[in-house]
């Protein structure tokens, strides 16, 4: 199975900060990497698919990049409504594994 | 409006069974792969099972193989998950989700999701 190692597990930042979350795959997965945002007691929603494509309706302050087996989700200017848990997920092969999640708190 | 509505979650004793349902509307259900994803209380997301449009392919996470069965009824726009031999570690919110490919060569991704149904396994 492909392991997805996400870091950090938690993060606290201020409004306006640039925030980066990293996800490393245990093997090559091409661009088969998706990012989700989950707010408390809500279902996850996709932010980024295919490593760098922004889902429709998602603010442009969110972006994704790939470097080899390392993937990053960046929020260019943190907003209060970005407080949530973020997950990466690979869709290269079954089982479609998720990272452990990053809990992002607004200071 | 696209909607996925799960139902069937409840409190069940270890070793018991349950059938979850997901009613879909707002898109052509029979065109899409579908999946179940679960989340244990205070924990992360775990993919559980996936099913192809015509049920010809099904995939499961190792921890549920032989105990859970995913199925669908395209005529009823419904997805199901039969849970047997339930264990305490199966306690979770179970989400149904569609697998979207869009026009990207790098799909799929899970979108949209239902609101989830809670399964609690406890004596």
């Amino acid at each position: 199975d492909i392991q997805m190692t996400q870091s950090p597990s938690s993060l606290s930042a201020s409004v306006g900060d640039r925030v980066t979350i990293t996800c490393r795959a245990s093997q090559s997965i091409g661009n088969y990497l998706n990012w989700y945002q989950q707010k408390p007691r809500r279902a996850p929603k996709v932010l980024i698919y295919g490593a760098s494509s922004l889902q429709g309706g998602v603010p442009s302050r969110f972006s994704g990049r790939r470097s080899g087996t390392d993937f990053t989700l960046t929020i260019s200017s943190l907003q209060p409504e970005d407080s949530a848990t973020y997950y990466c997920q690979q869709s290269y092969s079954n089982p479609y594994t998720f990272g452990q999640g990053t809990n992002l708190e607004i200071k | 409006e696209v909607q996925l509505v799960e139902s069937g979650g409840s409190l069940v004793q270890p070793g018991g069974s349950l059938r979850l349902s997901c009613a879909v509307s707002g898109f052509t259900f029979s065109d899409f792969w579908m999946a179940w994803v679960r989340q244990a209380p205070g924990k992360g997301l775990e993919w559980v099972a996936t099913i192809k449009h015509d049920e010809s392919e099904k995939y499961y996470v190792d921890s549920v193989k032989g105990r859970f069965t995913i199925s669908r009824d395209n005529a009823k726009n419904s997805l199901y998950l039969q849970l047997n031999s339930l264990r305490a570690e199966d306690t979770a919110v179970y989400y149904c989700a569609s697998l979207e490919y869009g026009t990207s060569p790098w799909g799929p991704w899970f979108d949209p999701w239902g609101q989830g149904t809670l399964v609690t396994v406890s004596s």
Side-chain angles (χ1 to χ4, degrees), chain A residues 16-80:
Chain A
D17 282 355
R18 182 181 183 88
V19 169
T20 297
I21 299 167
T22 298
C23 189
R24 174 170 290 175
S26 60
Q27 65 180 73
S28 177
I29 60 170
N31 287 337
Y32 290 96
L33 189 285
N34 310 307
W35 290 98
Y36 300 86
Q37 177 193 65
Q38 186 181 32
K39 296 185 176 180
R41 295 171 297 283
R42 300 290 295 274
K45 75 167 193 175
V46 64
L47 300 174
I48 301 284
Y49 61 87
S52 60
S53 296
L54 192 68
Q55 174 73 340
V58 174
S60 59
R61 63 181 180 273
F62 291 92
S63 64
R65 289 189 65 182
R66 170 198 169 198
S67 177
T69 58
D70 291 340
F71 299 84
T72 55
L73 172 70
T74 297
I75 308 173
S76 60
S77 179
L78 194 63
Q79 298 301 304

Side-chain angles (χ1 to χ4, degrees), chain A residues 1 29-34 36 38 42-46 49-50 53 55 66 87 89 91 94-100, chain B residues 33 37 39 43-47 50 59-62 95 99 101 103-111 113-116:
Chain A
D1 296 357
I29 60 170
N31 287 337
Y32 290 96
L33 189 285
N34 310 307
Y36 300 86
Q38 186 181 32
R42 300 290 295 274
K45 75 167 193 175
V46 64
Y49 61 87
S53 296
Q55 174 73 340
R66 170 198 169 198
Y87 295 92
Q89 174 253 327
S91 56
N94 282 296
Y96 288 158
T97 39
F98 288 86
Q100 307 95 310
Chain B
W33 288 67
V37 177
Q39 186 169 36
K43 302 296 184 183
L45 300 169
E46 180 183 41
W47 167 82
T50 298
Y59 302 92
Y60 300 91
V61 68
D62 282 350
Y95 296 100
L99 273 67
Y101 285 82
T103 57
S104 170
W106 304 107
W109 53 95
F110 297 112
D111 181 63
W113 299 61
Q115 85 290 347

Side-chain angles (χ1 to χ4, degrees), chain B:
Chain B
E1 180 191 4
V2 172
Q3 275 198 314
L4 290 79
V5 180
E6 301 94 334
S7 60
S10 69
L11 172 63
V12 61
Q13 292 189 338
S17 297
L18 213 52
R19 190 195 196 204
L20 306 183
S21 300
C22 174
V24 172
S25 60
F27 64 93
T28 307
F29 177 71
S30 57
D31 285 351
F32 289 85
W33 288 67
M34 296 294 297
W36 290 96
V37 177
R38 68 183 178 183
Q39 186 169 36
K43 302 296 184 183
L45 300 169
E46 180 183 41
W47 167 82
V48 174
T50 298
I51 186 169
K52 196 176 179 180
H53 323 74
D54 59 1
E55 297 194 270
S56 60
E57 295 181 42
K58 300 179 183 181
Y59 302 92
Y60 300 91
V61 68
D62 282 350
S63 59
V64 309
K65 282 180 184 174
R67 300 189 300 123
F68 291 8
T69 302
I70 189 171
S71 63
R72 63 193 295 163
D73 185 334
N74 288 339
K76 294 183 177 180
N77 289 342
S78 293
L79 176 72
Y80 306 102
L81 187 67
Q82 178 69 40
L83 292 69
N84 296 331
S85 303
L86 281 161
R87 306 167 180 167
E89 55 266 34
D90 296 318
T91 294
V93 173
Y94 285 73
Y95 296 100
C96 68
S98 174
L99 273 67
E100 175 63 62
Y101 285 82
T103 57
S104 170
W106 304 107
W109 53 95
F110 297 112
D111 181 63
W113 299 61
Q115 85 290 347
T117 188
L118 177 62
V119 172
T120 303
V121 184
S122 175
S123 55

